[in-house]
C-alpha cells in the first residue's frame, strides 16, 4: 500500500501551497488571456470552473497558514515578524515602480506614467475601487493578499495574548459577524462602502477567522481522526452548494449567500484539504516540484506583482492569434518561468549574504 501524506509535520502542506499558488497565477493568466482575446467576463466553461473555485483556494491558503501558526510568540517576536512583512511590502512596491518605469521606457511612454499612482496606492492601502479627489488609484495587484495575511497574522497574535479564551473567540468571530449584519442590511451601498476602505479591514476580519480555524484544526487534530460519513456528506454538500450558487470574492467582499457563504467556503477548504491528504502520493516527482514552489509562496506573491508591473500581457496583441487557450497557456508559462528564475536568484543572493555573515562572525 502506498504511503499517503497523513503525518502532522511542518512540510506536509508545501505541495498543496504550491498547487494553490499555481491556480492563482493561472486564474490571473486566464483573465489577461480573456481581455486580450476580447472575451470580456464570459470565459469558456473549463476556465469558468477553475476561476469560480479561486475563492475556496484563497480560503484554504489562509487556513493552512493558521495551521502553521505558533501562538506563543513574545512581543518582540510579533514586532519583528510584522516589520519583516512591512519590509517585504514596501520593497515590493518600490520594485514594482521600477518595473513600471522600465516598461514605460520600453514602449516609448513617459517614464512616470502610473508610477506615482502605484506608489500612492500602495502607501494609501488602496483597494481596487479607491478614488482620491476624483482620480482612481490603482491598487498594488496581488499584494492585497499579502497585506491581509500580514494584518490578520498580527491581530491574531495580539488577540492570542488575552487571558480569556471567551474574549478571544468573541473578538475573532464577532467582528466578521457584525460586518455581515451591516452587509446584509445596507444592501448594495454597504458593499461599495466596504470595498473602498483602505488596507482591507473587512478582508482582514474574515482572514482572522480562517487563520483561527486553521489553528484549531491543528490543535484538535481533526484531520487525522475518523469522521462519520454523514458529517463528510454534509460538509461536501454545503461546499458544493456554495460553489454553485455563491460568489466568494474575498477581494471585493462579494458574498452572495452572506455568512453562509463563508461557512461553505470553509467546508470547501476542508474538502480540498481532505482530498489532498488522501490522494496525493509524496513519491510523485510532480509533488517535489510543487513543494519547491509552496515553500517559496510568500516570495512568489511579491515577484508575481513585480512581473505584472513589468509585463502588460493584455498589450501583447501578437498572442491574439493563438486564441484564448493558447494565449492563456503562453502567458502562464512565461510568467511562471520568470517567477521561478527570480526566486532562484533571490535564493542564491540570500545564501551568499548568509555565508558572508557567517564568515565575518567566524573570524571574530
Amino acid at each position: 500500500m502506498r504511503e499517503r501524506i497523513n503525518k502532522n509535520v511542518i512540510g506536509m502542506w508545501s505541495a498543496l501551497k504550491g498547487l494553490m499558488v499555481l491556480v492563482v497565477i493561472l486564474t490571473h493568466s486566464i483573465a489577461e488571456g480573456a481581455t486580450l482575446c476580447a472575451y470580456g467576463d464570459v470565459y469558456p466553461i473549463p476556465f469558468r470552473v477553475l476561476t469560480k473555485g479561486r475563492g475556496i483556494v484563497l480560503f484554504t491558503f489562509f487556513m493552512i497558514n493558521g495551521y502553521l501558526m505558533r501562538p506563543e510568540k513574545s512581543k518582540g517576536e510579533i514586532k519583528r515578524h510584522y516589520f519583516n512583512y512591512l519590509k517585504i511590502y514596501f520593497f515590493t512596491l518600490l520594485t514594482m515602480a521600477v518595473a513600471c518605469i522600465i516598461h514605460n521606457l520600453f514602449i516609448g511612454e513617459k517614464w512616470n506614467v502610473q508610477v506615482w499612482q502605484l506608489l500612492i496606492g500602495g502607501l494609501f492601502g488602496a483597494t481596487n475601487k479607491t478614488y482620491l479627489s476624483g482620480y482612481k488609484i490603482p491598487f498594488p495587484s496581488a499584494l492585497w493578499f499579502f497585506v491581509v495575511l500580514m494584518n490578520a497574522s498580527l491581530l491574531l497574535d495580539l488577540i492570542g495574548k488575552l487571558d480569556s479564551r471567551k474574549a478571544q473567540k468573541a473578538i475573532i468571530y464577532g467582528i466578521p459577524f457584525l460586518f455581515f449584519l451591516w452587509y446584509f442590511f445596507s444592501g448594495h451601498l454597504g458593499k461599495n462602502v466596504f470595498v473602498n476602505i483602505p488596507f482591507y479591514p473587512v478582508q482582514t476580519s474574515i482572514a482572522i477567522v480562517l487563520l483561527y480555524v486553521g489553528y484549531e484544526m491543528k490543535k484538535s487534530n481533526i484531520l487525522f481522526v475518523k469522521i462519520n460519513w454523514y458529517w463528510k456528506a454534509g460538509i461536501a454538500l454545503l461546499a458544493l452548494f456554495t460553489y454553485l450558487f455563491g460568489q466568494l470574492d474575498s477581494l471585493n467582499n462579494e458574498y452572495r449567500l452572506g455568512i453562509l457563504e463563508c461557512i461553505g467556503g470553509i467546508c470547501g477548504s476542508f474538502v480540498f484539504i481532505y482530498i489532498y491528504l488522501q490522494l496525493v502520493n509524496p513519491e510523485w516527482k510532480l509533488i517535489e516540484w510543487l513543494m519547491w514552489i509552496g515553500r517559496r509562496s510568500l516570495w512568489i506573491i511579491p515577484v508575481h506583482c513585480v512581473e505584472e508591473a513589468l509585463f502588460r500581457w493584455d498589450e501583447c496583441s501578437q498572442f491574439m492569434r493563438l486564441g484564448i487557450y493558447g494565449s492563456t497557456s503562453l502567458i502562464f508559462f512565461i510568467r511562471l518561468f520568470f517567477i521561478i528564475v527570480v526566486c532562484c536568484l533571490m535564493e542564491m543572493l540570500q545564501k551568499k549574504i548568509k555565508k558572508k555573515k557567517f564568515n565575518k562572525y567566524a573570524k571574530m
Side-chain angles (χ1 to χ4, degrees):
M1 184 176 178
R2 66 182 173 81
E3 183 187 359
R4 290 187 180 130
I5 300 177
N6 57 4
K7 305 290 183 185
N8 197 3
V9 294
I10 291 173
M12 61 183 275
W13 298 118
S14 295
L16 183 57
K17 286 171 81 173
L19 178 63
M20 290 189 294
V21 166
L22 291 181
V23 168
V24 170
I25 293 172
L26 179 56
T27 53
H28 290 171
S29 302
I30 288 170
E32 282 147 354
T35 302
L36 189 65
C37 297
Y39 265 76
D41 295 327
V42 184
Y43 306 158
I45 291 175
F47 285 172
R48 268 184 278 166
V49 169
L50 186 64
T51 303
K52 195 168 173 60
R54 184 171 58 186
I56 291 175
V57 168
L58 291 174
F59 266 43
T60 307
F61 204 96
F62 280 117
M63 284 171 60
I64 288 174
N65 276 281
Y67 191 97
L68 297 171
M69 280 188 77
R70 185 171 62 84
E72 55 283 343
K73 293 191 185 92
S74 66
K75 289 182 180 178
E77 283 180 307
I78 293 172
K79 190 176 178 180
R80 279 196 303 274
H81 189 64
Y82 190 68
F83 275 104
N84 282 337
Y85 269 120
L86 281 177
K87 282 191 286 187
I88 295 170
Y89 177 71
F90 287 113
F91 179 77
T92 304
L93 268 180
L94 290 172
T95 311
M96 287 174 71
V98 172
C100 196
I101 291 169
I102 293 169
H103 173 83
N104 291 337
L105 294 175
F106 183 78
I107 64 171
E109 284 273 7
K110 288 183 179 179
W111 69 271
N112 60 350
V113 173
Q114 287 193 327
V115 173
W116 298 119
Q117 294 94 321
L118 178 68
L119 290 172
I120 291 168
L123 293 171
F124 187 67
T127 71
N128 64 338
K129 291 183 181 177
T130 301
Y131 289 83
L132 188 63
S133 299
Y135 293 98
K136 184 175 180 180
I137 302 174
F139 75 113
S141 187
L143 268 185
W144 77 270
F145 176 82
F146 190 83
V147 174
V148 171
L149 181 61
M150 173 177 70
N151 291 340
S153 300
L154 172 70
L155 290 172
L156 193 59
D157 281 334
L158 293 175
I159 292 168
K161 293 295 176 188
L162 297 174
D163 294 328
S164 170
R165 290 271 293 171
K166 287 183 180 178
Q168 289 176 15
K169 289 188 177 182
I171 294 170
I172 289 167
Y173 294 121
I175 296 173
F177 182 72
L178 290 174
F179 151 66
F180 275 111
L181 282 178
W182 187 2
Y183 180 87
F184 179 77
F185 288 111
S186 62
H188 189 66
L189 174 63
K191 184 168 61 178
N192 280 339
V193 168
F194 280 122
V195 166
N196 283 308
I197 301 176
F199 288 109
Y200 317 101
V202 178
Q203 292 90 334
T204 298
S205 72
I206 306 297
I208 290 172
V209 173
L210 299 174
L211 289 173
Y212 186 70
V213 169
Y215 171 70
E216 287 293 319
M217 271 191 338
K218 182 177 183 178
K219 195 175 173 184
S220 64
N221 209 33
I222 195 170
L223 296 176
F224 306 101
V225 297
K226 192 173 181 180
I227 302 174
N228 291 324
W229 68 268
Y230 48 83
W231 276 107
K232 290 181 182 177
I235 289 169
L237 286 172
L238 184 54
L240 181 63
F241 177 79
T242 304
Y243 176 81
L244 293 175
F245 301 104
Q247 184 78 14
L248 206 62
D249 183 350
S250 301
L251 173 59
N252 296 309
N253 299 317
E254 294 279 358
Y255 301 104
R256 194 177 293 163
L257 306 175
I259 199 166
L260 178 64
E261 191 154 344
C262 273
I263 296 169
I266 292 171
C267 289
S269 297
F270 271 114
V271 172
F272 196 16
I273 288 168
Y274 184 79
I275 291 171
Y276 166 75
L277 292 175
Q278 295 301 314
L279 298 184
V280 171
N281 185 343
E283 295 177 359
W284 292 342
K285 289 292 182 185
L286 178 63
I287 297 302
E288 201 173 309
W289 188 68
L290 287 174
M291 287 177 73
W292 188 92
I293 292 174
R295 284 193 291 264
R296 292 153 183 82
S297 56
L298 287 183
W299 288 11
I300 288 172
I301 294 168
V303 174
H304 177 41
C305 293
V306 173
E307 165 264 314
E308 283 190 312
L310 185 61
F311 305 107
R312 312 290 169 78
W313 300 106
D314 53 3
E315 296 173 1
C316 298
S317 55
Q318 61 271 31
F319 289 2
M320 288 177 63
R321 56 189 176 84
L322 299 173
I324 188 168
Y325 289 107
S327 60
T328 297
S329 302
L330 190 58
I331 291 168
F332 173 73
F333 285 113
I334 291 173
R335 79 186 338 162
L336 185 60
F337 176 77
F338 176 86
I339 288 168
I340 289 172
V341 168
V342 172
C343 284
C344 287
L345 291 172
M346 287 169 65
E347 199 167 60
M348 287 167 61
L349 182 63
Q350 189 182 48
K351 285 179 181 176
K352 199 170 181 180
I353 292 169
K354 281 184 178 178
K355 190 177 178 181
K356 277 188 177 180
K357 283 185 179 178
F358 176 80
N359 291 336
K360 182 182 176 182
Y361 288 118
K363 289 176 182 177
M364 290 176 70

